[in-house]
Amino acid sequence: MFNIFKLAARNLRRYKRRTLLTSILITLGVVAVLLFVSVSGSFKAMMIGQITDSMLGHLQVHSRGYLSSIDSLPLHLNMKGEQVVRVKEILDGNDAVEAYSMRIRLGAMFSNFTETTNVRLNAVDPEQEMQTVPMLADRIIKGKKEGLLAKGEILVPELIARGMKVKIGDTIVLVATNKHGSVNGQPFVVRGILEGISGPGGRDGFIHTDDALALLRIEGREISEIAIRLNEMEQMHEVFDELKGQLESSRNKMDKPVFEVHTWEELSPFFNIARMIDLMTLFIKIMLVAIVLVSIMNVMVMAVYERINEIGTIAAIGTGPGKILSLFVAEGFLLGLFGTLIGVVISLITIAGMNAAQISFDFGRQKGLLLSPTIASGEVIVIAGIVIAIAVLGSLQPAWKAAGMDPITALRHV
Amino acid sequence: MTLVTAKGLEKTYIAGDITVRAIRGVDFTIEPASFVCFIGPSGSGKSTLLNMIGCLDPPTSGFLEVAGKDVTHLGAKESARFRGDHIGFIFQDFNLIPVLTVFENIEYPLQMVQNWPALKRKQRVNELLEAVAMKDQGGKFPNQISGGQKQRVAVARALVTNASLVLADEPTANLDTETANRIISLMKQMRDEFGTTFIFSTHDHRVVKSAEKIFTLEDGKLQQQGNGDNHV
Ligand SMILES: Nc1ncnc2c1ncn2[C@@H]1O[C@H](COP(=O)(O)OP(=O)(O)O)[C@@H](O)[C@H]1O
Ligand SMILES: [Mg+2]
């Protein structure tokens, strides 16, 4: 083995410029892919993190049919008493669930005593909510973040606060209609102003669950939505399947499932952006594969052609076809390895450099997010492995041709 | 026991609608440890015949036995193995591997064809370097030595595996007379030292006289048999 690689390496050194050019091409390809993967990956992770950690959670449970009419926040489609207990049992029994928050979602009239507007509200238990969507508190741009809110307080969406000219400490009135049609109003103190984010629920206000129960005159337990946070994002689809199975066993009198479960991917339009990033990554990887394949094949076809006489010589003196094949494949392999190693080193240095340079960008209304590209070592290994495998593959055809040459014909070649 | 036996050996090349009968039925035997020359004008079939003996090219018809093996119908893989085990080659253009040093060129068949262990390889290569008087040139690359020196290295490479037969197709065609004579006498000396049979071809009468057995080829047929001393 060692001799084959020694010979291959010497032959690569023999055509220095060509070897260098080909490995530069491979290096550039590897750098492009690794940088794209790391930057887009960091952008994607941040985007998904924003969505799941500041509003949606990883999974959500609703009554069946709630989501399809979520625009009107229908109170009559809330989960009730026994149903809530059932979901709670299932969630408490699942180790993968880190936290969950039970929300009542409602629409109300928001009055500052001179003007009135509509507001969409989440009524939450602050403790539960903060555990489930830990980045929610970061969205409070005015007012204190600790403890989120208390009874009698409201977090007002930024746009409403500006339009209605309300400040921290102001009293406002919320008026809501309950599902039996009776109207009720209640004063709230403005506790904080909430920055809006893109996506569903991103412009909703927050009040305490107990206030919602009073405002809507709900007796007993009623929940519109349960947002769930998992210990590991990676487990999401697994846990989703598990919960779906458990929850769908709850059936109503018409034998229809009572609950529906969704992942954030089904709830947020940003999943499509995430998917597009994945698709772009795939295309760039395919381009890398094509570049490596074509350049290695090209250079190896030339190598074989230039050395026909040598191939004839070594074949004549008894070098078997397998050895000749491996000589050329080893050359392609080394070329791929060389280009890849340099590419990986350059990429990792660049990624470290980008992190050190603290490059920031804006996402939606969020300004100055820090670009922190990272790449998993597994991903580096996979990409490097693919490139090297393609290099081997690209040299296989020319090597095959060399191995199959008739020694006399090859020797006569000039 | 003979080393090479050919009976009614023929080789016909068919290229398109042109048929070339390069060898037209030859019979001969070659004894072990002999020093044999095939002479004939260009195109007489010397290369074709040597290629058949060297198991590089199968005969069209007839019978050919080399080193006790019927090689008339060997497949590509089998003949490669047979060549590696029994036959050494010396080429007109020396055909050393340019990226390997003199030492490594001689070592090549031991390492890449016969898989000798490193220590034995080193020993054997040094032995051969000494035999062809290239002892102090082992570290040089082919492009750093003269044509005569290259051919010495090629002789060493052909002998290194203890082949029973070394074939040299016009080994002196690219050498001046003096060097040519030296290479031929080196080959003869090697025959004496190692008992290896040498079969070489030439169209050059200057180098023929050292042969002990001479076959003259003309238009693919053997003309006469003689030995070096009575050849004129
Ligand atoms: N591969 C081939 N295809 C067709 N004709 C060939 C081939 N090899 C040799 N010949 C022909 O066979 C004859 C003998 O050639 P060769 O053995 O090379 O002669 P020599 O080595 O004595 O010069 C020549 O007429 C040559 O043109
Ligand atoms: Mg010839």
Side-chain angles (χ1 to χ4, degrees):
Chain A
M1 275 310 259
F2 167 70
N3 323 300
I4 288 177
F5 281 111
K6 185 176 76 181
L7 207 54
R10 294 241 187 117
N11 275 315
L12 286 175
R13 251 192 295 160
R14 176 172 169 192
Y15 304 101
K16 273 198 195 72
R17 187 168 7 179
R18 195 168 70 196
T19 300
L20 209 64
L21 280 175
T22 310
S23 21
I24 284 175
L25 208 57
I26 296 173
T27 299
L28 282 178
V30 168
V31 169
V33 169
L34 289 183
L35 291 190
F36 184 83
V37 166
S38 67
V39 170
S40 68
S42 108
F43 177 72
K44 200 179 104 179
M46 185 147 37
M47 192 181 77
I48 293 173
Q50 286 284 327
I51 291 163
T52 58
D53 293 358
S54 68
M55 186 60 219
L56 289 182
H58 296 136
L59 300 170
Q60 289 195 353
V61 179
H62 302 93
S63 273
R64 192 174 172 77
Y66 185 86
L67 265 189
S68 58
S69 46
I70 193 162
D71 277 329
S72 60
L73 301 175
L75 292 169
H76 69 277
L77 286 177
N78 283 347
M79 294 171 264
K80 294 174 200 75
E82 274 305 302
Q83 297 173 344
V84 178
V85 174
R86 173 92 189 101
V87 181
K88 229 172 115 57
E89 260 171 28
I90 290 171
L91 294 182
D92 287 339
N94 196 318
D95 289 340
V97 173
E98 185 180 310
Y100 57 88
S101 176
M102 303 199 159
R103 298 168 176 164
I104 301 172
R105 303 193 61 180
L106 63 149
M109 304 290 281
F110 180 105
S111 167
N112 64 355
F113 302 103
T114 53
E115 271 182 291
T116 302
T117 187
N118 292 315
V119 66
R120 295 161 64 94
L121 295 162
N122 291 302
V124 298
D125 174 294
E127 198 72 24
Q128 280 186 359
E129 185 72 9
M130 281 192 300
Q131 278 168 7
T132 309
V133 284
M135 279 164 71
L136 175 61
D138 292 339
R139 287 173 50 206
I140 300 175
I141 44 179
K142 279 181 206 142
K144 69 176 169 73
K145 301 180 182 198
E146 294 73 37
L148 207 61
L149 51 69
K151 276 183 222 175
E153 293 179 333
I154 179 172
L155 295 175
V156 182
E158 190 183 6
L159 290 179
I160 291 182
R162 198 185 306 153
M164 302 291 283
K165 298 192 179 66
V166 296
K167 298 184 296 296
I168 309 289
D170 287 0
T171 299
I172 57 102
V173 170
L174 291 179
V175 179
T177 310
N178 75 7
K179 62 184 169 191
H180 306 299
S182 77
V183 178
N184 192 17
Q186 205 171 300
F188 287 83
V189 175
V190 175
R191 150 79 178 237
I193 310 293
L194 203 56
E195 183 187 40
I197 57 165
S198 326
R203 287 174 182 39
D204 293 0
F206 281 82
I207 57 173
H208 197 284
T209 302
D210 292 351
D211 293 330
L213 294 176
L215 184 64
L216 297 171
R217 295 198 178 111
I218 293 172
E219 277 149 29
R221 219 51 202 277
E222 237 180 72
I223 297 297
S224 317
E225 171 174 292
I226 302 175
I228 301 165
R229 179 179 182 77
L230 303 177
N231 291 316
E232 302 285 343
M233 180 87 165
E234 284 73 43
Q235 298 176 312
M236 187 174 76
H237 291 280
E238 214 176 297
V239 179
F240 170 75
D241 290 339
E242 201 178 320
L243 289 181
K244 197 176 159 86
Q246 288 171 316
L247 289 169
E248 283 191 352
S249 65
S250 295
R251 306 248 159 183
N252 61 15
K253 289 177 206 111
M254 281 136 83
D255 200 30
K256 289 263 170 55
V258 178
F259 305 110
E260 54 187 17
V261 198
H262 295 276
T263 64
W264 74 266
E265 295 170 348
E266 298 164 289
L267 299 168
S268 169
F270 284 103
F271 179 54
N272 290 324
I273 296 180
R275 273 231 305 252
M276 229 145 73
I277 291 173
D278 290 341
L279 201 66
M280 268 155 66
T281 313
L282 180 71
F283 274 120
I284 289 199
K285 281 179 186 168
I286 289 173
M287 267 167 58
L288 171 72
V289 164
I291 288 174
V292 174
L293 194 66
V294 169
S295 56
I296 292 272
M297 236 171 140
N298 177 51
V299 81
M300 291 314 294
V301 164
M302 271 159 72
V304 168
Y305 185 79
E306 281 166 349
R307 270 184 263 153
I308 291 182
N309 224 279
E310 264 174 74
I311 295 166
T313 306
I314 62 173
I317 64 181
T319 314
K323 275 258 166 71
I324 297 177
L325 182 94
S326 34
L327 267 172
F328 283 95
V329 170
E331 244 176 270
F333 170 81
L334 286 183
L335 205 51
L337 185 73
F338 184 62
T340 306
L341 282 184
I342 296 178
V344 167
V345 169
I346 292 178
S347 303
L348 293 183
I349 290 173
T350 312
I351 289 172
M354 282 198 285
N355 280 311
Q358 307 236 316
I359 300 165
S360 65
F361 69 101
D362 301 336
F363 173 59
R365 302 197 55 252
Q366 272 149 307
K367 310 274 186 236
L369 294 174
L370 268 190
L371 187 67
S372 56
T374 54
I375 188 153
S377 53
E379 182 108 36
V380 175
I381 290 167
V382 166
I383 289 172
I386 289 175
V387 170
I388 293 167
I390 293 299
V392 167
L393 205 72
S395 53
L396 218 49
Q397 193 270 342
W400 185 261
K401 224 179 141 195
M405 272 181 195
D406 167 45
I408 299 194
T409 318
L411 278 169
R412 208 180 285 128
H413 189 271
V414 273
Chain B
M1 206 205 103
T2 58
L3 186 67
V4 181
T5 308
K7 282 184 197 144
L9 206 57
E10 288 196 32
K11 181 73 192 186
T12 306
Y13 292 109
I14 300 169
D17 29 273
I18 305 164
T19 305
V20 182
R21 294 183 61 203
I23 297 293
R24 317 178 174 197
V26 298
D27 303 270
F28 62 87
T29 57
I30 290 169
E31 308 303 316
S34 52
F35 200 69
V36 182
C37 174
F38 283 88
I39 187 164
S42 177
S44 58
K46 303 179 298 292
S47 298
T48 305
L49 192 58
L50 256 62
N51 287 342
M52 284 195 283
I53 300 171
C55 301
L56 288 165
D57 208 6
T60 310
S61 65
F63 170 80
L64 180 62
E65 190 187 87
V66 178
K69 188 175 174 77
D70 179 358
V71 298
T72 322
H73 307 289
L74 277 191
K77 239 192 190 134
E78 267 181 299
S79 54
R81 182 164 316 128
F82 185 79
R83 290 195 302 270
D85 287 344
H86 297 283
I87 303 174
F89 288 92
I90 297 168
F91 304 91
Q92 180 178 330
D93 303 312
F94 323 126
N95 291 24
L96 300 181
I97 299 167
V99 292
L100 297 183
T101 62
V102 164
F103 186 98
E104 290 165 338
N105 261 287
I106 301 172
E107 192 185 19
Y108 179 93
L110 300 181
Q111 197 170 22
M112 298 289 279
V113 181
Q114 293 199 344
N115 301 314
W116 286 35
L119 210 68
K120 278 183 74 182
R121 279 202 314 260
K122 197 173 168 200
Q123 241 172 351
R124 177 70 180 157
V125 174
N126 280 325
E127 205 176 316
L128 264 298
L129 273 173
E130 189 139 17
V132 300
M134 291 288 288
K135 185 99 200 158
D136 46 352
Q137 313 281 314
K140 288 190 177 166
F141 282 91
N143 61 4
Q144 297 169 318
I145 58 177
S146 71
Q149 288 177 315
K150 282 183 198 166
Q151 205 59 309
R152 284 171 178 278
V153 176
V155 170
R157 178 177 67 181
L159 287 166
V160 76
T161 57
N162 285 316
S164 39
L165 178 62
V166 170
L167 292 164
D169 191 4
E170 310 219 23
T172 59
N174 284 334
L175 299 172
D176 59 77
T177 308
E178 199 190 321
T179 317
N181 283 326
R182 268 203 231 133
I183 287 294
I184 297 295
S185 49
L186 173 71
M187 280 164 44
K188 201 166 186 177
Q189 182 197 328
M190 293 297 106
R191 191 282 312 266
D192 296 340
E193 200 169 317
F194 299 104
T196 313
T197 300
F198 276 81
I199 302 175
F200 67 101
S201 75
T202 185
H203 62 267
D204 179 358
H205 288 267
R206 296 169 305 175
V207 297
V208 177
K209 50 185 175 293
S210 11
E212 290 165 353
K213 193 172 186 182
I214 297 164
F215 293 101
T216 306
L217 263 176
E218 216 159 290
D219 293 331
K221 287 191 207 124
L222 280 183
Q223 293 303 314
Q224 67 209 80
Q225 251 172 273
N227 55 48
D229 300 330
N230 54 31
H231 183 91
V232 194

